[in-house]
Amino acid sequence: MGNTGYKSFANLELYYTDNGSPTGADPKPNVVTDPDYIAPVLDTATCAPSIRYYSVEKRRSAQKNNCGAGYSGSIVTLVADANLFFSTVSLADANAQADAWLAANVQTHANNAGTCEITYTPPTGGGGGGTGCLVEGTLITLPDGKRKAIEELTLDQLLLSSEIETLNDTNNAEELYKWSCGHLSENRITSPITKLSHKVAYKTIIVNDGLLEATPSHLQLIQRDGHWRFIPLGDILVGDNLYTIDKEVIPVTAVTVNLEKRNIYPMTLNPFHTFFANGILTHNYKQPLANND
């Protein structure tokens, strides 16, 4: 550690006070429990202190790497405060100690303090017709609770919608795919149809034997691994959960692909984009897909 400038005494020896000669008694250890204990004294003349070099503030970042599948960890920075380490050799040595401490501890700190975020990437193929749409015969819930077939709806007609807490409802796919929540809290509102058209698709996804049928790119709210999130219907899995108009959570028990011709109805609501299809909360966003659908 180097010299501190203080002189300490290992043993005590008894002397006569009149002439300073030893009494002949055996020396004894100088310990703090002894009433005769003598504390170290500052003596920079004969015990010159060593120069101490203190480390500067150092930082190191790492990404949380213990998130589950489909999630990526945030970047977390660990700080070694200034003067945390010292050296009697050099400043470089003190800073090296700080760097070594950061390297040994930054990943554990990141895993403990970091957060997990969805890293879902929208698909680039496998859709049906290039837009996310529900099939003919799908029953859409109106504000009064009645249901009407999607092909019978008209422009400006009000639908029962849902305002989901923490969701900035948008048709921006990147923002929708980033969103997730552990507990779904929502309020019922109304939103008008601003766009409605008729198209034909040759590929649809059927969930729970017809409970919901739409093109693979139709944006669907699901719960997976305890988190609510939006995915294209083509990515839905058995074991995912759906949210119903009765505020119940029901499991996905079957997913099949239909390759027969279907009439579909692309629909846009504004300013709120959620609605209930066959009693299932869903979204009107239509994700463009590749031409090889």
Side-chain angles (χ1 to χ4, degrees), residues 77-112:
T77 300
L78 180 62
V79 179
D81 294 330
N83 304 321
L84 184 61
F85 297 92
F86 77 92
S87 170
T88 58
V89 177
S90 66
L91 176 61
D93 182 59
N95 288 336
Q97 293 179 52
D99 288 334
W101 178 81
L102 288 170
N105 292 281
V106 65
Q107 190 61 62
T108 299
H109 177 66
N111 288 346
N112 291 335

Side-chain angles (χ1 to χ4, degrees), residues 125-245:
T131 56
C133 319
L134 294 158
V135 300
E136 182 178 14
T138 302
L139 298 178
I140 308 301
T141 303
L142 306 180
D144 61 4
K146 295 180 180 179
R147 301 199 295 178
K148 195 172 186 178
I150 192 169
E151 65 271 19
E152 298 176 359
L153 298 175
T154 59
L155 282 176
D156 299 321
Q157 186 165 9
L158 287 175
L159 302 184
L160 182 64
S161 183
S162 173
E163 183 178 24
I164 300 175
E165 187 176 319
T166 74
L167 172 66
N168 179 21
D169 200 4
T170 174
N171 271 345
N172 183 307
E174 183 178 353
E175 294 303 316
L176 287 170
Y177 287 132
K178 287 180 180 178
W179 174 84
S180 70
C181 70
H183 173 72
L184 188 66
S185 178
E186 51 94 12
N187 297 309
R188 302 295 163 85
I189 53 177
T190 62
S191 195
I193 300 173
T194 56
K195 292 182 181 180
L196 182 63
S197 61
H198 168 237
K199 293 187 178 183
V200 172
Y202 292 91
K203 183 178 183 180
T204 56
I205 304 299
I206 302 174
V207 178
N208 286 9
D209 302 317
L211 173 64
L212 199 64
E213 183 177 356
T215 51
S217 53
H218 178 79
L219 199 69
Q220 181 56 45
L221 176 69
I222 60 103
Q223 184 190 47
R224 181 181 295 172
D225 298 327
H227 291 272
W228 290 98
R229 55 191 287 195
F230 285 102
I231 64 168
L233 193 62
D235 288 352
I236 199 167
L237 301 173
V238 171
D240 290 341
N241 292 320
L242 302 171
Y243 187 80
T244 76
I245 194 169

Side-chain angles (χ1 to χ4, degrees), residues 16-96:
Y16 291 108
T17 58
D18 56 352
N19 59 11
S21 61
T23 63
D26 293 335
K28 61 180 179 179
N30 183 34
V31 295
V32 295
T33 55
D34 193 313
D36 298 322
Y37 171 71
I38 299 176
V41 296
L42 183 63
D43 184 2
T44 57
T46 61
C47 191
S50 302
I51 297 176
R52 288 193 174 195
Y53 302 91
Y54 290 90
S55 61
V56 300
E57 182 182 286
K58 294 283 215 171
R59 295 170 177 264
R60 185 160 181 162
S61 298
Q63 183 176 19
K64 180 179 174 70
N65 64 8
N66 59 349
C67 296
Y71 295 83
S72 65
S74 61
I75 303 296
V76 179
T77 300
L78 180 62
V79 179
D81 294 330
N83 304 321
L84 184 61
F85 297 92
F86 77 92
S87 170
T88 58
V89 177
S90 66
L91 176 61
D93 182 59
N95 288 336

